Amino acid sequence: MAEATKAPAKAPKLADPMEASIEVSTQEMIRRAQKLQIETVFDRAVTMKPCAIGMQGTCCKNCAMGPCRLPLPKNGIEGEDTRKGLCGATANTIAARNFIRMIAGGAAAHSDHGRGVVETFLAVARKETKDYTIKDPAKLIQIAPYFNVATTIEVDGKTLDRDLYEIALGVGEAAIAEWGKSEGTLAYLKRAPAKLQQKWEEQGVKPRAIDREIVEIMHRTHMGVDQDYKNLMKQGTRASLADGWGGAMIATDLQDVMFGSPSPLQSEANLGIMKEDHVNIIVHGHEPLLSEMIVAATQSQEMLDYAKEHGAKGIQLGGICCTANEILQRHGVPPAGNYLQQELAIITGACDAMVVDVQCVFQNLANVAKCFHTKLITTHPIAKMEQENVIHIEFDEHYAMQDAKRIVKMAIENFNNRSADVMIPQHKAKQIAGFGVESIKYHLGGSFRGDYYTLNDNIINGRIRGIAGVVGCNNARTKHNEEHITIIKELIKNDVIVLTTGCSAITAGIHGLLTPEAAAVHCGPGLAEVCETVGIPPVLHLGSCVDNSRILLAATEVVNAGGLGDDISDLPAAGSAPEWMSEKAIAIGQYFVASGVYTVFGYHMPLEGAPVFKDHLYNDMEKIYGGKWDCEPDPIKHAHKMIAHIDKKRKELGIDKARERVLMDMADRQALGMD
Ligand code: BF8
């Protein structure tokens, strides 16, 4: 082509920082990236639109006769739905296959993480590693009976405590069998309310072994196997329960046993936690096995001296995604950001090393790291990157501290190689994190009964209208953080206490909602009064995404404490994942639904192309398990759908009038100038 006729090179489309995020440091870093001509996920979201048929959930690529695409006709379907793939698969079959394959992906991710935790736990029990130990023996003793492991022994007619490491070995061996045992059902199902266990039994969805349920999804969704969306969903449900009440719950518990159960502690959140005059190490991903050691290494005198020798004032450790939540809840290490801020941490120019393990890690980190001095280090044998600038240091739990020190040293030695101007956004917020089933009991428990009685009492008397779990990711197709924050604020304004995990929890921290002081500013009068009395934030950080199991157990404690029905589905409670994006979110959503929780997702659900299957999830599920799916992208409407559900449950429990009385009392008191 002659030079003159060449079309002028088009400038790439760039994200508008103000449209991309509500969060100021994120906006600042997007602007800096664009100035430096470094592409981020926010720009890619502008240039690449999602596939319209995939969005509807009705593209089948499970065999080479396809991909078969079954979009919904523009004017909907009149009469019989005649759409089918080459094999005859209906839109319902295709959407259900795709949906439960997402569950398989999510359940596999959480559960494989859990398997790694159990393997390390076994190494501890067998005393093969000296770097980890048993930090919470009480939790070990608490969970042992579920695995049929005795915690005492009889000697000469006397009952004695059994050796902790013997108990640990028994628990570890029984726990690892949960992935592949050939008989029975998962041990932790017994922790659920009896009525819920009964429902699972009747439906035939009690998971047998974790791996088996995931493999069976892959089999059933293979070309030409299960062609009944209801039957496919049964398996999806079974695999999701194998995640929530299986792999994820075991991961949480054994992490607590090895690293300590969290209790409330103070920290900070956002990119502003990075320090120009410190060596900045960012750990990112999901597994706390290595990051626990990195925390210890960065606090060692040897490493601090080494950092000073290199001219740094100290070492600042920060986290991204759920690795951040793990080390936050146990050590107070501040998160530097959530999922969509991972590239931005490097764009500060001050990230001396980013250490990643598994899940939610952008491959583009390697391209961004190339523009700076940042060492990008992969550590897990199942998660490497093809780019040449990425360093792989494989982590071995038997040499955990040695590996951690090697990584920290590498970061320190990189401190003086900073190539670009450092620009760390000066925004961070204070937060209280580290809540769990036990600490909720402690803070909100009755002084006499020592259980969830006071929490229940406050729900029954209406000061707390209900409980919401707000969890999950960010998604570059929605405005970063906006849905999370709008929904959470609307809930607490309406006296709904919020339990949060994952990136939603990091978001709440960044926006200042994880402090007791937030109650007076954002809460309705009832919730504000409770928070003030017991000194807790209105939004409780319960950890990482595998720690959603804590929410299941907290809900069960509420049921057991009495007065609010006899199943999770009776509670004035609802779940939400406002900006979800990962397959893990779908697995979590389904185990919450199958545990009786009304669960609302934001953005969209890949179901629009299969209205009958969608109706199965949005309506039939409630008749079966008491929980159901919903989707609402508008955050205010989203929150009010949850509140309407909470109010419906209050009415069913006969406690709706109590709340009216509380509010009337409040108004009366205000009128009398008593408040
Ligand atoms: O597991 S919330 S973006 S980091 S998937 Fe990923 Fe989603 Fe964040 Fe934690 Ni959970």
Side-chain angles (χ1 to χ4, degrees):
M1 199 192 294
E3 197 62 28
T5 59
K6 236 187 193 175
K10 259 202 195 161
K13 267 200 199 167
L14 296 177
D16 173 350
M18 302 296 282
E19 285 304 310
S21 176
I22 60 164
E23 199 280 307
V24 186
S25 63
T26 303
Q27 294 164 355
E28 285 176 11
M29 283 298 100
I30 296 173
R31 260 183 229 114
R32 169 162 157 105
Q34 292 175 347
K35 214 167 141 198
L36 297 173
Q37 297 189 321
I38 299 168
E39 180 201 83
T40 66
V41 62
F42 298 98
D43 300 322
R44 291 190 292 279
V46 174
T47 48
M48 187 198 278
K49 293 291 165 211
C51 160
I53 302 164
M55 286 276 282
Q56 293 190 22
T58 45
C59 171
C60 182
K61 51 183 181 58
N62 294 10
C63 90
M65 295 199 293
C68 293
R69 296 162 304 152
L70 273 62
L72 200 64
K74 273 218 172 69
N75 301 323
I77 293 163
E78 277 176 32
E80 202 190 337
D81 185 354
T82 54
R83 295 173 298 155
K84 34 178 123 52
L86 261 62
C87 69
T90 63
N92 293 327
T93 299
I94 292 172
R97 279 179 185 158
N98 289 338
F99 195 77
I100 74 169
R101 278 201 171 193
M102 292 180 85
I103 293 177
H110 288 145
S111 299
D112 212 32
H113 164 174
R115 187 199 320 265
V117 172
V118 185
E119 283 168 353
T120 301
F121 183 73
L122 275 168
V124 173
R126 293 179 182 136
K127 301 187 178 168
E128 292 168 1
T129 168
K130 57 179 182 356
D131 295 331
Y132 303 100
T133 124
I134 295 170
K135 283 210 182 125
D136 188 349
K139 187 140 209 173
L140 176 62
I141 286 163
Q142 184 207 337
I143 62 172
Y146 293 110
F147 295 105
N148 291 323
V149 175
T151 54
T152 54
I153 42 164
E154 300 291 324
V155 180
D156 301 334
K158 282 189 205 144
T159 307
L160 302 176
D161 288 341
R162 220 173 144 203
D163 175 68
L164 264 191
Y165 284 80
E166 260 178 55
I167 300 172
L169 188 59
V171 167
E173 285 173 348
I176 203 75
E178 293 292 272
W179 272 259
K181 66 188 182 189
S182 54
E183 284 177 349
T185 54
L186 295 187
Y188 271 173
L189 301 178
K190 295 195 282 281
R191 300 176 93 168
K195 203 168 162 190
L196 182 55
Q197 292 182 49
Q198 186 61 33
K199 284 179 191 163
W200 295 337
E201 181 72 44
E202 283 163 13
Q203 291 301 314
V205 295
K206 282 188 162 176
R208 297 152 294 185
I210 297 163
D211 287 346
R212 177 175 183 175
E213 306 312 351
I214 293 162
V215 168
E216 192 169 309
I217 284 187
M218 299 315 284
H219 181 189
R220 286 205 202 193
T221 57
H222 184 277
M223 194 274 139
V225 187
D226 203 346
Q227 295 156 29
D228 171 1
Y229 64 91
K230 290 184 185 165
N231 207 40
L232 283 160
M233 254 333 278
K234 262 194 177 181
Q235 185 54 24
T237 301
R238 187 147 52 180
S240 75
L241 294 173
D243 175 358
W245 295 88
M249 196 174 274
I250 295 172
T252 296
D253 277 347
L254 294 189
Q255 286 170 181
D256 282 356
V257 173
M258 283 190 287
F259 311 137
S261 296
S263 59
L265 39 70
Q266 194 172 330
S267 185
E268 294 175 328
N270 212 353
L271 291 166
I273 63 102
M274 295 172 76
K275 294 191 181 123
E276 181 161 4
D277 52 10
H278 280 53
V279 175
N280 290 294
I281 303 175
I282 301 289
V283 285
H284 170 25
H286 282 77
E287 298 194 349
L289 297 173
L290 170 63
S291 53
E292 274 287 320
M293 285 302 116
I294 293 192
V295 173
T298 53
Q299 290 168 350
S300 71
Q301 199 53 50
E302 180 195 352
M303 289 298 121
L304 290 171
D305 291 344
Y306 197 57
K308 287 196 179 127
E309 273 172 39
H310 285 76
K313 287 225 170 95
I315 306 170
Q316 177 64 50
L317 187 60
I320 299 272
C321 284
C322 282
T323 297
N325 288 320
E326 297 287 2
I327 53 175
L328 164 68
Q329 65 181 344
R330 297 195 179 89
H331 303 284
V333 173
N338 54 22
Y339 174 67
L340 285 182
Q341 290 172 294
Q342 55 187 282
E343 293 163 311
L344 309 182
I346 299 179
I347 289 165
T348 59
C351 179
D352 301 304
M354 183 175 276
V355 188
V356 302
D357 51 74
V358 291
Q359 302 166 28
C360 302
V361 175
F362 288 171
Q363 185 163 2
N364 197 56
L365 287 179
N367 303 327
V368 178
K370 222 183 273 174
C371 305
F372 297 90
H373 75 301
T374 306
K375 300 259 189 234
L376 180 60
I377 305 166
T378 54
T379 56
H380 206 291
I382 69 162
K384 296 186 178 181
M385 288 186 187
E386 69 185 46
Q387 288 97 324
E388 277 171 9
N389 60 319
V390 181
I391 302 158
H392 186 73
I393 299 180
E394 199 146 309
F395 170 64
D396 180 341
E397 66 269 21
H398 296 92
Y399 304 97
M401 186 47 102
Q402 209 173 306
D403 291 340
K405 282 191 175 164
R406 190 172 154 210
I407 289 168
V408 173
K409 269 191 177 169
M410 193 175 271
I412 293 170
E413 286 158 9
N414 202 25
F415 175 70
N416 285 314
N417 295 335
R418 290 185 187 171
S419 50
D421 290 345
V422 168
M423 181 181 157
I424 300 171
Q426 295 304 301
H427 307 282
K428 59 181 177 180
K430 284 212 162 53
Q431 61 167 335
I432 307 283
F435 286 88
V437 179
E438 300 81 2
S439 49
I440 294 177
K441 194 179 280 188
Y442 174 74
H443 282 274
L444 280 164
S447 39
F448 301 111
R449 301 197 186 188
D451 59 15
Y452 275 51
Y453 175 74
T454 306
L455 173 61
N456 283 31
D457 197 34
N458 275 308
I459 295 172
I460 293 165
N461 70 28
R463 279 191 191 87
I464 296 178
R465 189 172 189 162
I467 307 171
V470 183
V471 307
C473 330
N474 300 117
N475 185 323
R477 302 285 177 205
T478 70
K479 195 170 189 172
H480 174 238
N481 291 1
E482 183 172 59
E483 280 79 2
H484 285 294
I485 295 306
T486 312
I487 289 167
I488 293 176
K489 280 188 179 167
E490 193 63 18
L491 289 168
I492 59 177
K493 185 173 125 194
N494 285 281
D495 291 324
V496 175
I497 192 167
V498 173
L499 311 181
T500 181
T501 60
C503 288
S504 189
I506 300 177
T507 307
I510 287 172
H511 291 268
L513 296 176
L514 301 184
T515 61
E517 296 75 36
V521 183
H522 298 290
C523 290
L527 181 58
E529 192 183 332
V530 174
C531 291
E532 207 171 288
T533 310
V534 292
I536 55 163
V539 184
L540 303 180
H541 188 313
L542 263 77
S544 67
C545 282
V546 293
D547 296 332
N548 281 316
S549 59
R550 298 191 202 277
I551 300 183
L552 292 176
L553 293 175
T556 304
E557 293 270 0
V558 173
V559 172
N560 294 342
L564 291 170
D566 53 10
D567 199 351
I568 294 176
S569 60
D570 295 332
L571 301 178
S576 160
E579 302 176 23
W580 78 280
M581 65 83 206
S582 81
E583 292 171 323
K584 290 179 283 176
I586 295 290
I588 293 166
Q590 182 57 30
Y591 73 63
F592 270 105
V593 166
S595 299
V597 180
Y598 171 60
T599 303
V600 192
F601 271 36
Y603 180 43
H604 95 295
M605 291 290 284
L607 301 169
E608 294 306 317
V612 176
F613 175 58
K614 179 181 162 188
D615 187 65
H616 182 56
L617 297 181
Y618 284 37
N619 291 305
D620 295 350
M621 281 288 149
E622 192 171 30
K623 293 171 207 138
I624 308 170
Y625 303 108
K628 62 175 182 175
W629 284 88
D630 204 346
C631 177
E632 179 53 67
D634 180 296
I636 295 289
K637 284 189 197 155
H638 185 118
H640 281 281
K641 280 185 163 185
M642 297 169 74
I643 294 166
H645 179 82
I646 284 168
D647 285 350
K648 184 177 99 181
K649 291 293 167 184
R650 294 190 68 87
K651 196 160 184 201
E652 284 170 13
L653 289 163
I655 55 171
D656 47 331
K657 296 283 178 293
R659 181 164 161 75
E660 283 165 24
R661 270 198 305 278
V662 165
L663 292 180
M664 208 181 290
D665 289 350
M666 285 286 168
D668 290 348
R669 281 158 62 188
Q670 270 160 1
L672 291 169
M674 288 172 72
D675 262 347

